[in-house]
């Protein structure tokens, strides 16, 4: 049995998770931590897709003033509106302080993208009452539940977290 089985919705488990669908139905404000302005990056493609589907996106990247025509924030605490989902595009070792910030601002969900697994941070988030999705792409999950993957973001047909 896979060590992650039943602990969280994650791509490595292969589990079909209705909880991810429910999260995407319930929450519409997404802070994307580590969002890149480069169209070739998975974070950019995920953001443009979610934005096109009516989600409110808050880019969080201290290196930029604006991404996708949206003001870019240096941290979660700088966002002046309620954030529901904190979607993380950072290395696993960078996740714990992001989780602490998410807890501090009252976020509802920690979403770690494909390839991002940090069990201690996930445990901390759950203990604080947040839902956790780990090792899954918000864009892929949205497409899986609400529309076909052939209509993804920039219509690249690419479903990977790796830089292309």
């Amino acid at each position: 049995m896979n060590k992650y089985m039943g602990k969280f919705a994650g791509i490595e488990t292969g589990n079909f998770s209705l909880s991810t669908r429910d999260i995407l139905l319930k929450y519409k404000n997404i802070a994307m931590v580590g969002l890149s302005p480069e169209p070739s990056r998975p974070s950019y493609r995920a953001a443009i897709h979610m934005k096109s589907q009516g989600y409110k996106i808050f880019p969080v990247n201290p290196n930029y003033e604006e991404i996708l025509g949206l003001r870019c924030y240096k941290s979660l605490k700088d966002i002046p509106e309620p954030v529901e989902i904190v979607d993380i595009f950072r290395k696993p070792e960078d996740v714990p302080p992001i989780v602490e910030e998410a807890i501090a601002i009252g976020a509802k969900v920690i979403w770690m993208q494909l390839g991002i697994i940090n069990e201690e941070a996930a445990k901390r988030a759950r203990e604080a009452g947040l839902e956790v999705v780990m090792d899954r792409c918000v864009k892929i999950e949205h497409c899986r539940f609400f529309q076909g993957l052939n209509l993804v973001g920039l219509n690249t047909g690419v479903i990977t977290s790796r830089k292309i």
Side-chain angles (χ1 to χ4, degrees):
M1 180 177 200
N2 184 316
K3 69 180 182 177
Y4 300 113
M5 193 72 73
K7 290 184 177 179
F8 59 88
I11 201 77
E12 289 186 358
T13 66
N15 289 344
F16 182 76
S17 175
L18 293 178
S19 68
T20 56
R21 182 199 64 185
D22 294 344
I23 287 168
L24 293 171
L25 284 171
K26 186 175 182 180
Y27 302 117
K28 299 297 178 192
N29 292 344
I30 305 174
M32 294 188 151
V33 181
L35 178 59
S36 171
E38 298 298 323
S40 65
R41 301 294 302 175
S43 63
Y44 185 90
R45 294 192 303 268
I48 201 165
H49 173 80
M50 299 308 286
K51 185 179 175 195
S52 75
Q53 297 302 308
Y55 290 83
K56 189 166 190 175
I57 304 300
F58 301 99
V60 179
N61 188 327
N63 299 315
Y64 301 96
E65 296 295 320
E66 184 179 292
I67 297 175
L68 289 169
L70 303 169
R71 179 181 172 194
C72 197
Y73 298 93
K74 298 197 180 312
S75 74
L76 292 172
K77 291 179 179 177
D78 294 332
I79 299 172
E81 298 180 48
V83 170
E84 296 165 319
I85 300 173
V86 175
D87 190 11
I88 302 172
F89 290 87
R90 300 290 310 266
K91 295 179 287 190
E93 58 268 27
D94 295 338
V95 171
I98 298 168
V99 166
E100 293 303 324
E101 261 195 86
I103 293 167
I105 67 166
K108 310 297 183 203
V109 178
I110 291 292
W111 192 301
M112 296 181 232
Q113 284 289 326
L114 280 176
I116 303 172
I117 297 172
N118 187 316
E119 290 190 63
E120 287 301 313
K123 179 181 176 193
R124 171 70 179 120
R126 281 190 204 97
E127 287 172 351
L130 280 72
E131 295 181 76
V132 176
V133 178
M134 191 157 44
D135 194 25
R136 287 199 183 246
C137 173
V138 70
K139 176 184 77 176
I140 293 171
E141 293 303 302
H142 187 271
C143 289
R144 186 160 68 125
F145 288 114
F146 305 111
Q147 70 179 49
L149 285 173
N150 60 338
L151 299 174
V152 175
L154 298 174
N155 199 18
T156 62
V158 175
I159 49 174
T160 180
S161 64
R162 293 192 176 93
K163 185 176 182 179
I164 53 173

